[in-house]
Amino acid sequence: MHDREVPTSEVRHEGEARPSDRRAPSADGGQIREADLQPYVALRYVARLFRLIAIVVLFLLLAEVITGLRLEGTDAIFGLLVESGRLLVMAGILWAAADLAILLVDVGHDVRAIHIVLGRLERHVQSAPLRADPHAYPVVEQEQELR
């Protein structure tokens, strides 16, 4: 096994938190793990890749139409229409897959945000004392007034 130099930012001492365990302060004073703030880099690359492939397919379609018309003339129009329809559908599906990947990124951000909010809510509920004050529940009082 060969030795590699480890940057000082990666060196951890005993009892020190891992980078994913570090907490960043939030606007309301709570703590959020840095791992919860990291973007979904891989899905964004997949989306870019799908869009790039869709654009390449469209350029291939253009090249095929130009080549077909140049070599066979108007006799190639029917075959070119069929093939261009197939390639347009393929490019559309690839573009839609890219949009779905971006949507998954947004869903992931929403799930992480909900996870953070639920964690804060749970801590708040656990730390709040239970009140036995009858005036603490105005909804019950309103129901009694209606009867």
Side-chain angles (χ1 to χ4, degrees):
M1 215 162 152
H2 58 83
D3 293 332
R4 70 176 183 95
E5 287 189 30
V6 178
T8 56
S9 62
E10 292 182 21
V11 175
R12 282 189 298 141
H13 300 287
E14 233 176 275
E16 191 175 311
R18 293 189 306 249
S20 63
D21 292 339
R22 290 189 197 134
R23 307 237 177 219
S26 67
D28 66 350
Q31 299 290 319
I32 301 172
R33 286 192 315 256
E34 286 183 20
D36 288 336
L37 301 175
Q38 293 178 352
Y40 293 90
V41 177
L43 280 176
R44 290 192 189 277
Y45 284 135
V46 167
R48 287 183 190 139
L49 178 68
F50 281 159
R51 286 195 175 138
L52 178 69
I53 293 172
I55 291 170
V56 168
V57 166
L58 290 176
F59 280 129
L60 290 175
L61 168 65
L62 182 66
E64 185 175 357
V65 167
I66 290 172
T67 305
L69 289 176
R70 187 146 178 123
L71 293 178
E72 297 180 26
T74 57
D75 296 338
I77 290 179
F78 180 72
L80 289 173
L81 284 176
V82 171
E83 190 62 28
S84 61
R86 288 181 191 159
L87 289 176
L88 282 174
V89 168
M90 180 183 288
I93 289 172
L94 287 168
W95 198 269
D99 287 341
L100 284 176
I102 296 297
L103 181 65
L104 286 176
V105 169
D106 292 340
V107 167
H109 288 190
D110 291 345
V111 168
R112 283 184 173 185
I114 289 171
H115 183 261
I116 291 169
V117 169
L118 285 177
R120 288 181 184 165
L121 181 63
E122 181 182 9
R123 275 183 293 165
H124 179 71
V125 168
Q126 288 175 352
S127 66
L130 293 176
R131 296 185 291 182
D133 184 13
H135 300 291
Y137 307 103
V139 175
V140 175
E141 290 177 8
Q142 290 173 357
E143 287 178 5
Q144 290 175 355
E145 290 175 5
L146 293 175
R147 290 183 189 170

